Amino acid sequence: MFDVISSTLPFLLDGLWMTFKISLITIFLGSLIGVVVGMLRTLDYAVITYPLAAYIHALRGTPFLIHLYLVYFMLPATGISWLQFEAFPAAVIALSLYTSTYVAEIVRAAIEAVPSGQTEAARSTGMTALQCMWHVVLPQAVKMMIPPMGGVYVIIIKGTSIVSVIGIAELVRAGEHATQRHPKELMVIYGMTALLYFAYCYPVLRIARWAETKFGSVRLPS
Amino acid sequence: MDWILDFYNYRVVGQYLPEFARGLGSTAWISLLALGISLSVGTIGAIMRMSANPVLWRIAAGYVQAIRSTPLLIQIYLIYFTFPALPLLDRRLDELEGGIIALGLNAGAYMSEIIRAGIESISRGQVEGAQSVGMTYLQRMRHVVLPQAFARVAPPLLGQTAVLIKDSSLVSFIGVFELFGAGLVVLNERLMPNEGFLTVAVCYLVIYTVMLSVTKFAQRRLGGATG
């Protein structure tokens, strides 16, 4: 058993590194999209908010596996040249869109949790809507976003396991390869894979919980 | 009209309707059975988590942490590939059983957190009242605490059920045929990803919409009844 561990651990760590990279890239890109979508959704224009609500519900209502296959198979099949991407960009795009729906809901809930009296006071001193958002609402909302963002980050880390299906050499894929070399040691190899995920996710969850006691949190609409 | 047929050939979808229907039925059954497992595991987990016995609550808390910190895919692999032969069954789990059990155990951890919040929200006086009329612990749970707790957390439980239905698409990784598998059949036989996966996506969206309205209904009815 120990020789299996020592011989497969380097492969698994390579996979973990890939999981780490993808999750960092997608949490960054997904948060960018999500912050914009979430802020736009707090506006009062139905022309903007309805399509965005449809976007969020469409992604929330279907499994991530479907998003991945649609991005990986459907977009390149359109024949548009800049949509002809490989597995890695497809995985990053699908995961980022998936992340953005969670982030958007958090951003919206946090902004709406700032009492409206704050906005009214800021506007009455002559601030524009943007100034009010930037100087008054966002600084208060950001603190409330931190704890649920930890939860989203863990969802994304776990979500990266699914992109193994289009051939990204992340942790699950590395585990599958290792089982081909040691077909009798499935429990050891998948157990190690699970432990590596645990080692990555558990600290994030703990930090999120610590942040919740420190900054408070927003209740998300289920 | 040709461009529509190019992008989404509904005639092919028509040919594969029986496959999609079979996949939908399979997803429904898998989700229903996994839901049963998850609610049982969740209730037992919640009660264990609230126990004063350190062994019991530590096991329950560790279980929730372990499930929350690892991907469902790895949980499915671990249960399907490494579950030993069962003494009563005299064989290993097949992919359907493995998938359902993994899904149920996964959702059970999340359900237990929700159910625990529900049990904790029942006021102390209810339990004391039940004690004073001589109910045993099990009677109190069965007749007083759990019915109110479940009514109160029905909306989040339904939300978690919607997640469970979406997650059930992952059992296709170990070769179970369900809704997503129907899309894979169209991809493999016809090389038509749009026809396969857009149709599957619409099916999931319909399920999601139904779940959403059931949740809203529960929120109105049950939320109002128990305050």
Side-chain angles (χ1 to χ4, degrees):
Chain A
M1 183 177 146
F2 286 105
D3 55 313
V4 177
I5 293 179
S6 61
S7 74
T8 56
L9 195 58
F11 291 106
L12 294 183
L13 287 177
D14 278 351
L16 182 64
W17 174 235
M18 187 65 169
T19 294
F20 183 67
K21 269 194 302 190
I22 293 194
S23 55
L24 272 190
I25 295 172
T26 53
I27 195 80
F28 178 72
L29 292 178
S31 300
L32 281 185
I33 308 172
V35 166
V36 174
V37 172
M39 283 171 63
L40 288 177
R41 274 201 83 190
T42 61
L43 294 177
D44 233 354
Y45 306 112
V47 193
I48 301 177
T49 50
Y50 275 112
L52 290 178
Y55 164 77
I56 287 177
H57 279 298
L59 289 186
R60 276 293 181 86
T62 47
F64 171 67
L65 195 50
I66 294 274
H67 314 164
L68 185 66
Y69 270 63
L70 284 179
V71 170
Y72 185 56
F73 286 112
M74 191 178 87
L75 293 185
T78 52
I80 301 168
S81 60
W82 56 273
L83 289 178
Q84 309 291 320
F85 33 60
E86 298 289 317
F88 186 80
V92 168
I93 290 170
L95 267 173
S96 298
L97 294 180
Y98 178 66
T99 314
S100 75
T101 63
Y102 286 97
V103 177
E105 290 295 88
I106 290 172
V107 169
R108 186 173 73 122
I111 288 177
E112 282 174 353
V114 176
S116 60
Q118 302 265 343
T119 320
E120 286 156 17
R123 293 304 295 274
S124 71
T125 62
M127 284 188 175
T128 64
L130 266 181
Q131 282 175 327
C132 164
M133 181 59 94
W134 182 252
H135 292 291
V136 178
V137 177
L138 276 187
Q140 303 178 60
V142 163
K143 277 186 187 170
M144 288 187 276
M145 293 176 201
I146 296 172
M149 279 300 288
V152 172
Y153 192 35
V154 170
I155 292 176
I156 300 316
I157 297 170
K158 293 189 285 181
T160 60
S161 66
I162 297 173
V163 303
S164 63
V165 73
I166 58 170
I168 306 283
E170 45 66 74
L171 191 43
V172 168
R173 191 76 172 181
E176 283 169 359
H177 278 195
T179 59
Q180 284 164 11
R181 288 185 49 198
H182 304 278
K184 289 200 173 135
E185 304 288 351
L186 287 172
M187 189 186 275
V188 178
I189 289 166
Y190 285 133
M192 275 161 65
T193 312
L195 279 180
L196 287 175
Y197 273 112
F198 188 84
Y200 187 9
C201 293
Y202 186 66
V204 177
L205 282 174
R206 284 311 287 259
I207 292 171
R209 214 164 68 189
W210 169 81
E212 193 167 347
T213 55
K214 197 157 162 65
F215 304 124
S217 182
V218 285
R219 266 197 62 200
L220 290 176
S222 57
Chain B
M1 287 301 279
D2 274 357
W3 63 273
I4 293 187
L5 282 182
D6 272 351
F7 181 71
Y8 185 80
N9 192 335
Y10 46 85
R11 289 178 193 144
V12 173
V13 176
Q15 279 176 16
Y16 280 90
L17 267 188
E19 294 289 307
F20 286 115
R22 218 156 56 82
L24 200 60
S26 179
T27 289
W29 267 116
I30 292 171
S31 307
L32 202 63
L33 292 173
L35 179 66
I37 296 176
S38 73
L39 286 178
S40 331
V41 170
T43 309
I44 296 169
I47 291 172
M48 277 172 70
R49 181 70 179 76
M50 295 172 71
S51 141
N53 183 335
V55 179
L56 286 184
W57 76 255
R58 270 172 206 282
I59 290 176
Y63 171 67
V64 171
Q65 290 296 357
I67 294 283
R68 284 181 52 178
S69 306
T70 50
L72 172 59
L73 188 55
I74 267 300
Q75 293 158 12
I76 291 176
Y77 281 179
L78 268 175
I79 287 180
Y80 173 56
F81 287 123
T82 71
F83 216 75
L86 295 171
L88 275 177
L89 218 56
D90 202 29
R91 63 176 171 79
R92 310 266 308 242
L93 294 174
D94 67 20
E95 57 273 6
L96 189 60
E97 293 156 354
I100 290 172
I101 291 173
L103 272 175
L105 291 181
N106 176 274
Y110 296 93
M111 298 285 192
S112 85
E113 290 289 279
I114 298 172
I115 295 169
R116 178 162 70 104
I119 296 177
E120 279 172 350
S121 78
I122 303 302
S123 73
R124 191 74 208 135
Q126 299 270 343
V127 180
E128 283 160 6
Q131 265 170 335
S132 67
V133 296
M135 284 187 172
T136 64
Y137 176 80
L138 278 180
Q139 284 174 327
R140 288 201 304 269
M141 273 293 164
R142 159 89 180 71
H143 295 289
V144 179
V145 178
L146 285 182
Q148 298 185 70
F150 271 99
R152 208 162 277 183
V153 294
L157 284 179
L158 285 164
Q160 195 61 47
T161 308
V163 174
L164 165 69
I165 296 172
K166 285 196 294 172
D167 281 348
S168 73
S169 61
L170 286 188
V171 299
S172 62
F173 276 57
I174 53 172
V176 178
F177 179 82
E178 39 68 75
L179 188 50
F180 187 79
L184 282 178
V185 169
V186 179
L187 176 72
N188 293 337
E189 290 183 2
R190 296 297 190 94
L191 294 177
M192 287 178 160
N194 300 5
E195 285 75 359
F197 296 124
L198 282 178
T199 315
V200 171
V202 169
C203 292
Y204 276 114
L205 269 182
V206 170
I207 299 175
Y208 173 76
T209 315
V210 171
M211 290 303 294
L212 212 60
S213 39
V214 173
T215 309
K216 289 243 168 75
F217 178 76
Q219 232 153 14
R220 263 205 324 275
R221 291 296 296 270
L222 298 171
T226 54

